[in-house]
Amino acid sequence: MLKTDNTSRNLCIAFVLLLLVGLILPNWLAFLTTIALAKAMVVVGLVMLMRAGLVSFGQGLYYCLGGYTVGIAGQHLGITDAVGILFVSAFIAGCLAALLGLLLCRYREIFFAMLTLAFSMILYGVLVKTSELGSTDGFNVAKVTLLGWQPSPGQLSLVVYSLACLVAFLTAFFMHRYYQSGMGFAGEAVRENEIRVEYLGVSPQRVVFIKYVLAAMLAAVGGSITAMIAGHVDPEMAYWTTSGEFVFVALLGGTGHVVAAFIGAFLFEVIRTIAFDLAPYTWQMILGTTLLLVIFFLPKGLWSLLKAKKVGGNNV
Amino acid sequence: MSSILETKGLTKSFGAITAAANINVTINEKEIVGVIGSNGAGKTTFINMVTGYLKPTGGSILFRGRDITGFSPRQVTRTGICRSFQVAQLFPELTTLENMLVAHAMLSKKRLGMQAPMKSQTNIDTAMAALSGYEIESYADAPVATLPQGIRKLLDIAMAMASGPDLLLLDEPTSGVAIEEKFGLMDTVMEAVKRSGAASLFVEHDMEIVSRYATRVIAFYDGHIIADGPTEEALNNPEVREYIVGSELHLQKPEDDQNAEN
């Protein structure tokens, strides 16, 4: 009855491979992969909400919050330790999400989506008007350190890349287990039938609240890593198009498996880079077409391709 | 027999319409009570009030002596009352087994785990045992959306019973089920209820089912209780015959037919 699940083992292998490959990757590709991993963290949280039937169009709020936490900690407070900052930004995002979550957990469908979008746009509006934080231009982020060690500019991208790999691995590992847990299935139960959940003695609101806070913390970590590798933050991170991009990636990858978000995020970055190269003025057309094709032919995302192959393999 | 559920002067009105007025009911341990009444008589309103779906306008509900008036459905579930629905309330995209596993995980005393797998062998064994108690274990791997009505009804009841409640409220357990399957379904359910030792109360329109399974009948008419007593006595009550059963109780039909032939 129980199918053997090799995901944990495969994730460990993928983690080691990513670390090794990092040593030989050209700079541009290492940068692209780090950004993809960082965005995938946000998408994993978003997918968790989508599995519960909720689409957030405002994960940019926490993505931006994470980025600005790194910026402010380095520039204004003199805190540059990468690991410490990740914890701090997750904590701050968690606190804000706990506050907003009290309201949001009562809403579903389009109302949930619009409210999350509204909150992210409030942050955008505030940042744009705050000249101390560079208004629309944002500001540069101080170079991070690792447990007191200051990597040279040449080493920095490798350090952030490795950190991103580690954080992404831990996220994928624990989120995969989370999807299989009682709380993970509670999300699907809420999506399918809230009345039944209520009569099983569990509050659907509480389930949504917990997921919203977890997703926010993941998004903040993703934003922090982006700030560390890009060396710059600006209010665009909270803009609705950034949040929309996460939804795009989630649809591209699919919600079937935790790894789907990572595959989706990586492909998204690759497609965008190529599209930008091919058509500097109309690259959005290529992205839009890709999304349309995915929705038409793979409504459950790229992951459904892998799943179909697996099922086919078992039958042979 | 000691009473487990007691309602005192329970009333519910929606604006000018009174859906239930002054409902005084006592349910004893291990009792099987049939609730009858025409549409709009207040049967489902009564169940909805007891299970916290509707807040009563007046009166009180006592469960094992504890006042549970105004409790939310999940608080009511936690105190030991569970219910099934007229239209089975399930998780359609999950399989039968997954539905049962979710029910067990949510109803257990522990908090929902975030890392422990829900589909552990122990949990699966427990869920499969629960499914076989309702003879639906062969549907374990089928998505609920593909199940026939009767199986959905059984799963709905099996999930409600997963908490091991003291009182089970069944809202029209046989509605939407084919005539030839009704008795089989009720046999399975009643056997499982008896095994668990819970009291049960079921709303039903089919008088054959009421007279076969209920030991006591409560008859609702226009938001009031017009009869409450042992099944035969209640079904033969003149008011019940006039307003609910119809003057010719169709249970007696076979005899009538025989008489006609003679």
Side-chain angles (χ1 to χ4, degrees), chain A residues 1-2 174 177-178 180-186 188-189 191-193 195-204 206 210 214, chain B residues 51 53 73-74 77-78 83 85 89-93 103 106-107 111-119 121 124 141 156 159:
Chain A
M1 187 122 241
L2 279 178
F174 288 111
R177 291 171 56 94
Y178 176 86
Q180 315 300 322
S181 72
M183 196 59 183
F185 272 95
E188 275 152 297
R191 179 191 72 205
E192 297 280 300
N193 194 337
I195 292 181
R196 172 52 92 180
V197 172
E198 186 79 35
Y199 276 99
L200 289 175
V202 169
S203 157
R206 194 170 149 263
I210 291 172
L214 281 178
Chain B
T51 57
Y53 195 72
R74 46 171 200 282
T77 303
R78 295 277 177 204
R83 74 171 288 186
F85 297 85
Q89 297 292 326
L90 305 166
F91 309 123
E93 280 191 35
M106 288 189 168
L107 289 166
R111 279 170 162 260
L112 280 174
M114 292 210 190
Q115 290 294 309
M118 186 182 80
K119 292 184 181 179
Q121 198 57 56
I124 290 178
D141 293 326
D156 186 55
M159 286 168 74

Short mmCIF file of all heavy atoms in Angstrom, two decimals, chain A residues 1-2 174 177-178 180-186 188-189 191-193 195-204 206 210 214, chain B residues 51 53 73-74 77-78 83 85 89-93 103 106-107 111-119 121 124 141 156 159:
data_model
loop_
_atom_site.label_atom_id
_atom_site.label_comp_id
_atom_site.label_asym_id
_atom_site.label_seq_id
_atom_site.Cartn_x
_atom_site.Cartn_y
_atom_site.Cartn_z
N MET A 1 0.82 -1.20 0.00
CA MET A 1 0.00 0.00 0.00
C MET A 1 0.87 1.27 0.00
O MET A 1 0.64 2.21 -0.73
CB MET A 1 -0.87 -0.01 1.25
CG MET A 1 -1.89 1.09 1.28
SD MET A 1 -3.51 0.35 1.42
CE MET A 1 -4.31 0.90 -0.04
N LEU A 2 1.89 1.24 0.88
CA LEU A 2 2.77 2.41 0.94
C LEU A 2 3.73 2.40 -0.23
O LEU A 2 4.43 1.42 -0.44
CB LEU A 2 3.57 2.38 2.25
CG LEU A 2 2.87 2.87 3.50
CD1 LEU A 2 3.78 2.72 4.69
CD2 LEU A 2 2.43 4.32 3.36
N PHE A 174 11.86 19.76 4.29
CA PHE A 174 10.81 19.83 5.31
C PHE A 174 9.43 20.08 4.71
O PHE A 174 8.43 19.58 5.22
CB PHE A 174 11.16 20.89 6.36
CG PHE A 174 12.27 20.44 7.26
CD1 PHE A 174 13.51 21.04 7.21
CD2 PHE A 174 12.08 19.38 8.13
CE1 PHE A 174 14.56 20.61 8.00
CE2 PHE A 174 13.13 18.93 8.93
CZ PHE A 174 14.36 19.54 8.87
N ARG A 177 7.91 16.84 3.53
CA ARG A 177 7.33 16.10 4.66
C ARG A 177 6.04 16.77 5.12
O ARG A 177 5.08 16.11 5.51
CB ARG A 177 8.34 16.02 5.80
CG ARG A 177 9.54 15.13 5.48
CD ARG A 177 10.61 15.26 6.53
NE ARG A 177 10.11 14.95 7.85
CZ ARG A 177 10.18 13.75 8.43
NH1 ARG A 177 10.75 12.77 7.79
NH2 ARG A 177 9.70 13.55 9.62
N TYR A 178 6.05 18.10 5.07
CA TYR A 178 4.86 18.86 5.49
C TYR A 178 3.66 18.52 4.61
O TYR A 178 2.55 18.30 5.12
CB TYR A 178 5.18 20.35 5.42
CG TYR A 178 4.01 21.25 5.73
CD1 TYR A 178 3.70 21.61 7.04
CD2 TYR A 178 3.19 21.74 4.71
CE1 TYR A 178 2.63 22.43 7.32
CE2 TYR A 178 2.11 22.55 4.99
CZ TYR A 178 1.84 22.90 6.29
OH TYR A 178 0.75 23.70 6.56
N GLN A 180 2.95 15.86 3.23
CA GLN A 180 2.44 14.51 3.53
C GLN A 180 1.83 14.43 4.94
O GLN A 180 1.30 13.40 5.31
CB GLN A 180 3.57 13.46 3.46
CG GLN A 180 4.49 13.57 2.27
CD GLN A 180 3.73 13.41 0.97
OE1 GLN A 180 2.82 12.60 0.88
NE2 GLN A 180 4.09 14.20 -0.02
N SER A 181 1.98 15.50 5.73
CA SER A 181 1.56 15.43 7.14
C SER A 181 0.07 15.75 7.27
O SER A 181 -0.59 16.15 6.31
CB SER A 181 2.36 16.44 7.95
OG SER A 181 1.92 17.75 7.63
N GLY A 182 -0.42 15.59 8.49
CA GLY A 182 -1.82 15.91 8.76
C GLY A 182 -2.13 17.36 8.42
O GLY A 182 -3.15 17.67 7.82
N MET A 183 -1.23 18.26 8.80
CA MET A 183 -1.44 19.69 8.54
C MET A 183 -1.40 19.96 7.03
O MET A 183 -2.15 20.82 6.54
CB MET A 183 -0.35 20.49 9.26
CG MET A 183 -0.66 21.94 9.40
SD MET A 183 -2.19 22.18 10.32
CE MET A 183 -2.33 23.92 10.23
N GLY A 184 -0.54 19.24 6.31
CA GLY A 184 -0.47 19.40 4.87
C GLY A 184 -1.79 19.03 4.21
O GLY A 184 -2.32 19.77 3.39
N PHE A 185 -2.32 17.88 4.61
CA PHE A 185 -3.60 17.44 4.04
C PHE A 185 -4.76 18.32 4.50
O PHE A 185 -5.78 18.41 3.83
CB PHE A 185 -3.86 15.97 4.40
CG PHE A 185 -3.27 15.01 3.41
CD1 PHE A 185 -2.02 14.46 3.63
CD2 PHE A 185 -3.95 14.69 2.25
CE1 PHE A 185 -1.45 13.59 2.70
CE2 PHE A 185 -3.41 13.82 1.32
CZ PHE A 185 -2.15 13.27 1.55
N ALA A 186 -4.58 18.96 5.67
CA ALA A 186 -5.64 19.85 6.16
C ALA A 186 -5.88 20.97 5.14
O ALA A 186 -7.02 21.42 4.97
CB ALA A 186 -5.26 20.44 7.51
N GLU A 188 -5.65 20.74 1.84
CA GLU A 188 -6.51 20.21 0.78
C GLU A 188 -7.94 20.04 1.28
O GLU A 188 -8.90 20.27 0.55
CB GLU A 188 -5.95 18.87 0.28
CG GLU A 188 -4.88 19.08 -0.77
CD GLU A 188 -3.87 17.97 -0.81
OE1 GLU A 188 -3.17 17.82 0.22
OE2 GLU A 188 -3.76 17.28 -1.82
N ALA A 189 -8.06 19.64 2.54
CA ALA A 189 -9.39 19.47 3.13
C ALA A 189 -10.13 20.81 3.15
O ALA A 189 -11.31 20.88 2.82
CB ALA A 189 -9.27 18.89 4.53
N ARG A 191 -9.62 23.33 1.15
CA ARG A 191 -9.95 23.66 -0.24
C ARG A 191 -11.21 22.91 -0.68
O ARG A 191 -12.08 23.45 -1.33
CB ARG A 191 -8.77 23.27 -1.13
CG ARG A 191 -9.00 23.53 -2.63
CD ARG A 191 -7.91 22.86 -3.44
NE ARG A 191 -8.08 21.42 -3.43
CZ ARG A 191 -7.09 20.55 -3.63
NH1 ARG A 191 -5.87 20.97 -3.82
NH2 ARG A 191 -7.32 19.26 -3.61
N GLU A 192 -11.31 21.65 -0.27
CA GLU A 192 -12.39 20.80 -0.76
C GLU A 192 -13.72 21.01 -0.04
O GLU A 192 -14.77 20.94 -0.66
CB GLU A 192 -11.98 19.33 -0.61
CG GLU A 192 -10.79 18.94 -1.44
CD GLU A 192 -11.16 18.69 -2.89
OE1 GLU A 192 -11.97 17.80 -3.12
OE2 GLU A 192 -10.65 19.41 -3.75
N ASN A 193 -13.68 21.19 1.28
CA ASN A 193 -14.94 21.27 2.01
C ASN A 193 -14.73 21.81 3.43
O ASN A 193 -14.39 21.06 4.35
CB ASN A 193 -15.59 19.88 2.07
CG ASN A 193 -17.03 19.94 2.50
OD1 ASN A 193 -17.45 20.88 3.15
ND2 ASN A 193 -17.79 18.92 2.15
N ILE A 195 -16.98 22.97 5.50
CA ILE A 195 -18.00 22.55 6.47
C ILE A 195 -17.57 21.26 7.14
O ILE A 195 -17.64 21.10 8.35
CB ILE A 195 -19.36 22.35 5.76
CG1 ILE A 195 -19.88 23.70 5.29
CG2 ILE A 195 -20.37 21.69 6.70
CD1 ILE A 195 -21.22 23.64 4.60
N ARG A 196 -17.06 20.33 6.33
CA ARG A 196 -16.62 19.06 6.89
C ARG A 196 -15.45 19.28 7.86
O ARG A 196 -15.41 18.68 8.92
CB ARG A 196 -16.24 18.10 5.75
CG ARG A 196 -15.60 16.83 6.20
CD ARG A 196 -16.39 16.11 7.27
NE ARG A 196 -17.31 15.14 6.74
CZ ARG A 196 -18.11 14.39 7.49
NH1 ARG A 196 -18.09 14.49 8.80
NH2 ARG A 196 -18.94 13.54 6.92
N VAL A 197 -14.52 20.13 7.48
CA VAL A 197 -13.38 20.40 8.36
C VAL A 197 -13.87 20.91 9.71
O VAL A 197 -13.44 20.45 10.76
CB VAL A 197 -12.42 21.43 7.71
CG1 VAL A 197 -11.34 21.86 8.69
CG2 VAL A 197 -11.78 20.84 6.46
N GLU A 198 -14.81 21.83 9.66
CA GLU A 198 -15.39 22.40 10.88
C GLU A 198 -16.00 21.28 11.74
O GLU A 198 -15.79 21.23 12.95
CB GLU A 198 -16.46 23.41 10.45
CG GLU A 198 -17.09 24.22 11.52
CD GLU A 198 -16.24 25.39 12.00
OE1 GLU A 198 -15.51 26.01 11.20
OE2 GLU A 198 -16.31 25.67 13.19
N TYR A 199 -16.73 20.36 11.08
CA TYR A 199 -17.36 19.27 11.83
C TYR A 199 -16.38 18.16 12.21
O TYR A 199 -16.76 17.22 12.89
CB TYR A 199 -18.55 18.69 11.05
CG TYR A 199 -19.82 19.48 11.28
CD1 TYR A 199 -20.25 20.43 10.38
CD2 TYR A 199 -20.55 19.32 12.46
CE1 TYR A 199 -21.38 21.19 10.60
CE2 TYR A 199 -21.68 20.06 12.70
CZ TYR A 199 -22.10 20.99 11.77
OH TYR A 199 -23.23 21.73 12.01
N LEU A 200 -15.16 18.27 11.76
CA LEU A 200 -14.13 17.33 12.24
C LEU A 200 -13.36 17.98 13.39
O LEU A 200 -12.30 17.52 13.81
CB LEU A 200 -13.17 16.93 11.10
CG LEU A 200 -13.78 16.02 10.03
CD1 LEU A 200 -12.80 15.80 8.89
CD2 LEU A 200 -14.19 14.67 10.61
N GLY A 201 -13.90 19.09 13.88
CA GLY A 201 -13.34 19.70 15.08
C GLY A 201 -12.13 20.59 14.84
O GLY A 201 -11.40 20.89 15.78
N VAL A 202 -11.89 20.97 13.58
CA VAL A 202 -10.72 21.81 13.28
C VAL A 202 -11.19 23.12 12.66
O VAL A 202 -12.13 23.14 11.88
CB VAL A 202 -9.77 21.06 12.31
CG1 VAL A 202 -8.68 21.99 11.78
CG2 VAL A 202 -9.14 19.87 13.01
N SER A 203 -10.52 24.20 13.03
CA SER A 203 -10.90 25.50 12.48
C SER A 203 -10.22 25.73 11.14
O SER A 203 -8.99 25.78 11.06
CB SER A 203 -10.49 26.58 13.47
OG SER A 203 -10.34 27.80 12.80
N PRO A 204 -11.00 25.88 10.05
CA PRO A 204 -10.37 26.15 8.75
C PRO A 204 -9.57 27.45 8.79
O PRO A 204 -8.52 27.56 8.16
CB PRO A 204 -11.56 26.28 7.80
CG PRO A 204 -12.70 25.63 8.48
CD PRO A 204 -12.46 25.77 9.94
N ARG A 206 -7.87 28.65 11.22
CA ARG A 206 -6.58 28.42 11.86
C ARG A 206 -5.62 27.75 10.88
O ARG A 206 -4.43 28.10 10.81
CB ARG A 206 -6.77 27.54 13.10
CG ARG A 206 -5.57 27.54 13.99
CD ARG A 206 -5.83 26.88 15.33
NE ARG A 206 -4.59 26.28 15.76
CZ ARG A 206 -4.29 25.01 15.59
NH1 ARG A 206 -5.17 24.21 15.03
NH2 ARG A 206 -3.14 24.54 15.97
N ILE A 210 -2.06 29.48 9.73
CA ILE A 210 -0.73 28.86 9.87
C ILE A 210 -0.01 28.82 8.53
O ILE A 210 1.17 29.16 8.42
CB ILE A 210 -0.88 27.44 10.46
CG1 ILE A 210 -1.33 27.53 11.91
CG2 ILE A 210 0.44 26.66 10.36
CD1 ILE A 210 -1.70 26.22 12.54
N LEU A 214 3.54 30.71 7.50
CA LEU A 214 4.68 29.93 6.98
C LEU A 214 5.10 30.44 5.60
O LEU A 214 6.29 30.62 5.33
CB LEU A 214 4.30 28.45 6.88
CG LEU A 214 4.32 27.65 8.17
CD1 LEU A 214 3.87 26.22 7.89
CD2 LEU A 214 5.71 27.65 8.78
N THR B 51 -26.01 20.86 16.70
CA THR B 51 -24.60 20.73 16.29
C THR B 51 -23.91 22.07 16.08
O THR B 51 -22.79 22.11 15.59
CB THR B 51 -24.48 19.89 15.00
OG1 THR B 51 -25.26 20.52 13.98
CG2 THR B 51 -24.96 18.49 15.19
N TYR B 53 -24.54 24.61 14.09
CA TYR B 53 -24.54 25.27 12.78
C TYR B 53 -25.42 26.51 12.83
O TYR B 53 -25.13 27.51 12.18
CB TYR B 53 -25.01 24.28 11.71
CG TYR B 53 -24.73 24.72 10.31
CD1 TYR B 53 -23.43 24.71 9.82
CD2 TYR B 53 -25.74 25.15 9.47
CE1 TYR B 53 -23.15 25.12 8.53
CE2 TYR B 53 -25.47 25.56 8.18
CZ TYR B 53 -24.18 25.54 7.71
OH TYR B 53 -23.90 25.94 6.43
N PRO B 73 -19.72 24.51 15.66
CA PRO B 73 -19.71 23.09 15.27
C PRO B 73 -18.48 22.35 15.78
O PRO B 73 -18.57 21.20 16.20
CB PRO B 73 -19.72 23.17 13.74
CG PRO B 73 -20.44 24.41 13.43
CD PRO B 73 -20.07 25.38 14.52
N ARG B 74 -17.31 23.01 15.73
CA ARG B 74 -16.13 22.23 16.15
C ARG B 74 -16.09 22.01 17.64
O ARG B 74 -15.62 20.98 18.10
CB ARG B 74 -14.83 22.82 15.62
CG ARG B 74 -14.61 24.24 15.75
CD ARG B 74 -13.18 24.59 15.37
NE ARG B 74 -12.86 25.86 15.94
CZ ARG B 74 -13.27 27.01 15.43
NH1 ARG B 74 -13.98 27.02 14.33
NH2 ARG B 74 -12.96 28.14 16.02
N THR B 77 -18.45 19.12 18.17
CA THR B 77 -17.79 17.87 17.79
C THR B 77 -16.86 17.40 18.90
O THR B 77 -16.84 16.22 19.25
CB THR B 77 -16.97 18.09 16.50
OG1 THR B 77 -17.84 18.56 15.48
CG2 THR B 77 -16.31 16.80 16.05
N ARG B 78 -16.11 18.34 19.46
CA ARG B 78 -15.15 17.98 20.52
C ARG B 78 -15.85 17.48 21.79
O ARG B 78 -15.25 16.73 22.55
CB ARG B 78 -14.26 19.18 20.86
CG ARG B 78 -13.35 19.62 19.72
CD ARG B 78 -12.09 18.78 19.65
NE ARG B 78 -11.26 19.14 18.52
CZ ARG B 78 -10.39 18.31 17.96
NH1 ARG B 78 -10.23 17.08 18.41
NH2 ARG B 78 -9.66 18.70 16.95
N ARG B 83 -22.38 14.44 13.43
CA ARG B 83 -23.54 14.41 12.55
C ARG B 83 -23.15 14.01 11.14
O ARG B 83 -22.01 14.17 10.72
CB ARG B 83 -24.20 15.77 12.51
CG ARG B 83 -23.41 16.78 11.70
CD ARG B 83 -24.18 18.06 11.49
NE ARG B 83 -25.28 17.88 10.54
CZ ARG B 83 -26.04 18.88 10.11
NH1 ARG B 83 -25.83 20.11 10.55
NH2 ARG B 83 -27.00 18.67 9.24
N PHE B 85 -24.72 14.37 6.98
CA PHE B 85 -25.44 15.41 6.25
C PHE B 85 -26.39 14.82 5.22
O PHE B 85 -26.17 13.72 4.71
CB PHE B 85 -24.44 16.32 5.54
CG PHE B 85 -23.53 17.05 6.48
CD1 PHE B 85 -22.38 16.44 6.96
CD2 PHE B 85 -23.83 18.32 6.91
CE1 PHE B 85 -21.54 17.10 7.84
CE2 PHE B 85 -23.01 18.99 7.78
CZ PHE B 85 -21.86 18.38 8.25
N GLN B 89 -21.01 15.37 2.99
CA GLN B 89 -19.98 16.42 2.98
C GLN B 89 -18.61 15.76 3.03
O GLN B 89 -18.15 15.36 4.10
CB GLN B 89 -20.16 17.36 4.17
CG GLN B 89 -21.47 18.12 4.15
CD GLN B 89 -21.53 19.14 3.02
OE1 GLN B 89 -20.53 19.74 2.65
NE2 GLN B 89 -22.71 19.31 2.45
N LEU B 90 -17.97 15.66 1.86
CA LEU B 90 -16.70 14.95 1.79
C LEU B 90 -15.65 15.82 1.11
O LEU B 90 -15.93 16.95 0.72
CB LEU B 90 -16.90 13.65 1.00
CG LEU B 90 -18.01 12.73 1.52
CD1 LEU B 90 -18.36 11.68 0.51
CD2 LEU B 90 -17.59 12.09 2.83
N PHE B 91 -14.46 15.26 0.93
CA PHE B 91 -13.41 15.95 0.19
C PHE B 91 -13.31 15.26 -1.18
O PHE B 91 -12.61 14.25 -1.32
CB PHE B 91 -12.07 15.87 0.94
CG PHE B 91 -12.19 16.30 2.38
CD1 PHE B 91 -11.82 15.45 3.41
CD2 PHE B 91 -12.66 17.57 2.69
CE1 PHE B 91 -11.93 15.85 4.73
CE2 PHE B 91 -12.78 17.98 4.01
CZ PHE B 91 -12.42 17.12 5.04
N PRO B 92 -14.02 15.77 -2.18
CA PRO B 92 -14.23 15.02 -3.43
C PRO B 92 -12.95 14.63 -4.18
O PRO B 92 -12.92 13.59 -4.82
CB PRO B 92 -15.07 15.96 -4.29
CG PRO B 92 -15.54 17.04 -3.39
CD PRO B 92 -14.67 17.07 -2.21
N GLU B 93 -11.91 15.46 -4.12
CA GLU B 93 -10.73 15.14 -4.92
C GLU B 93 -9.79 14.16 -4.23
O GLU B 93 -8.86 13.65 -4.84
CB GLU B 93 -9.97 16.42 -5.30
CG GLU B 93 -10.61 17.11 -6.49
CD GLU B 93 -9.77 18.22 -7.05
OE1 GLU B 93 -8.53 18.11 -7.04
OE2 GLU B 93 -10.35 19.23 -7.49
N ALA B 103 -10.02 12.53 8.49
CA ALA B 103 -10.98 12.54 9.61
C ALA B 103 -10.29 12.09 10.89
O ALA B 103 -10.41 12.72 11.94
CB ALA B 103 -12.17 11.65 9.29
N MET B 106 -7.74 14.72 12.13
CA MET B 106 -8.34 15.93 12.69
C MET B 106 -9.05 15.66 14.01
O MET B 106 -9.07 16.51 14.89
CB MET B 106 -9.31 16.54 11.69
CG MET B 106 -8.60 17.17 10.51
SD MET B 106 -9.73 18.10 9.48
CE MET B 106 -8.55 18.99 8.46
N LEU B 107 -9.64 14.48 14.12
CA LEU B 107 -10.43 14.20 15.32
C LEU B 107 -9.58 13.68 16.48
O LEU B 107 -10.06 13.60 17.61
CB LEU B 107 -11.53 13.19 15.00
CG LEU B 107 -12.67 13.75 14.14
CD1 LEU B 107 -13.53 12.63 13.60
CD2 LEU B 107 -13.52 14.73 14.94
N ARG B 111 -2.51 17.54 18.29
CA ARG B 111 -2.53 18.59 17.29
C ARG B 111 -2.16 17.99 15.94
O ARG B 111 -1.49 16.97 15.89
CB ARG B 111 -1.49 19.66 17.63
CG ARG B 111 -1.98 20.61 18.66
CD ARG B 111 -0.87 21.49 19.18
NE ARG B 111 -1.47 22.64 19.82
CZ ARG B 111 -1.61 23.83 19.26
NH1 ARG B 111 -1.17 24.05 18.05
NH2 ARG B 111 -2.18 24.81 19.90
N LEU B 112 -2.58 18.66 14.86
CA LEU B 112 -2.21 18.18 13.53
C LEU B 112 -0.70 18.30 13.35
O LEU B 112 -0.14 19.39 13.52
CB LEU B 112 -2.91 19.03 12.47
CG LEU B 112 -4.37 18.71 12.19
CD1 LEU B 112 -4.95 19.74 11.24
CD2 LEU B 112 -4.53 17.32 11.62
N GLY B 113 -0.05 17.19 13.02
CA GLY B 113 1.40 17.22 12.86
C GLY B 113 1.81 17.94 11.60
O GLY B 113 1.07 18.00 10.63
N MET B 114 3.01 18.53 11.62
CA MET B 114 3.50 19.22 10.42
C MET B 114 4.60 18.41 9.75
O MET B 114 5.01 18.74 8.64
CB MET B 114 4.06 20.59 10.79
CG MET B 114 3.00 21.56 11.25
SD MET B 114 3.47 23.22 10.83
CE MET B 114 2.26 24.16 11.72
N GLN B 115 5.12 17.40 10.41
CA GLN B 115 6.20 16.62 9.82
C GLN B 115 5.88 15.12 9.79
O GLN B 115 6.28 14.42 8.88
CB GLN B 115 7.52 16.85 10.58
CG GLN B 115 8.11 18.24 10.37
CD GLN B 115 8.57 18.48 8.93
OE1 GLN B 115 9.31 17.70 8.37
NE2 GLN B 115 8.11 19.57 8.34
N ALA B 116 5.13 14.64 10.79
CA ALA B 116 4.81 13.22 10.82
C ALA B 116 3.89 12.87 9.66
O ALA B 116 2.90 13.56 9.44
CB ALA B 116 4.14 12.87 12.14
N PRO B 117 4.22 11.85 8.87
CA PRO B 117 3.38 11.53 7.70
C PRO B 117 2.00 11.05 8.11
O PRO B 117 1.87 10.25 9.04
CB PRO B 117 4.16 10.43 6.99
CG PRO B 117 5.08 9.87 8.00
CD PRO B 117 5.37 10.95 8.99
N MET B 118 0.97 11.56 7.42
CA MET B 118 -0.39 11.15 7.73
C MET B 118 -0.62 9.71 7.27
O MET B 118 -1.37 8.97 7.89
CB MET B 118 -1.36 12.08 7.03
CG MET B 118 -2.81 11.84 7.39
SD MET B 118 -3.94 12.92 6.50
CE MET B 118 -4.04 12.08 4.93
N LYS B 119 0.06 9.34 6.17
CA LYS B 119 -0.16 8.00 5.63
C LYS B 119 0.82 7.00 6.21
O LYS B 119 1.45 6.24 5.47
CB LYS B 119 -0.04 8.03 4.11
CG LYS B 119 -1.18 8.78 3.44
CD LYS B 119 -1.08 8.69 1.94
CE LYS B 119 -2.19 9.46 1.27
NZ LYS B 119 -2.10 9.41 -0.18
N GLN B 121 1.77 3.55 8.28
CA GLN B 121 1.10 2.25 8.23
C GLN B 121 0.06 2.14 9.34
O GLN B 121 -1.04 1.64 9.11
CB GLN B 121 2.14 1.13 8.32
CG GLN B 121 1.62 -0.23 7.86
CD GLN B 121 1.08 -0.22 6.42
OE1 GLN B 121 1.79 0.16 5.49
NE2 GLN B 121 -0.18 -0.60 6.24
N ILE B 124 -2.99 4.12 8.40
CA ILE B 124 -3.71 3.46 7.30
C ILE B 124 -4.49 2.26 7.84
O ILE B 124 -5.65 2.07 7.49
CB ILE B 124 -2.72 3.03 6.18
CG1 ILE B 124 -2.21 4.28 5.45
CG2 ILE B 124 -3.40 2.09 5.18
CD1 ILE B 124 -1.21 4.01 4.36
N ASP B 141 -9.15 3.25 -2.59
CA ASP B 141 -8.29 4.03 -3.47
C ASP B 141 -9.04 4.85 -4.52
O ASP B 141 -8.43 5.50 -5.36
CB ASP B 141 -7.27 3.11 -4.16
CG ASP B 141 -6.31 2.53 -3.15
OD1 ASP B 141 -5.99 3.27 -2.19
OD2 ASP B 141 -5.90 1.37 -3.29
N ASP B 156 -19.53 9.38 4.67
CA ASP B 156 -19.87 10.56 5.44
C ASP B 156 -20.13 10.18 6.91
O ASP B 156 -19.63 10.82 7.84
CB ASP B 156 -21.13 11.18 4.81
CG ASP B 156 -21.52 12.51 5.42
OD1 ASP B 156 -20.67 13.41 5.43
OD2 ASP B 156 -22.67 12.65 5.88
N MET B 159 -16.91 8.89 8.65
CA MET B 159 -16.02 9.99 9.05
C MET B 159 -16.54 10.67 10.30
O MET B 159 -15.78 11.05 11.19
CB MET B 159 -15.87 11.00 7.91
CG MET B 159 -14.99 10.49 6.80
SD MET B 159 -15.07 11.51 5.32
CE MET B 159 -14.12 12.94 5.83
#
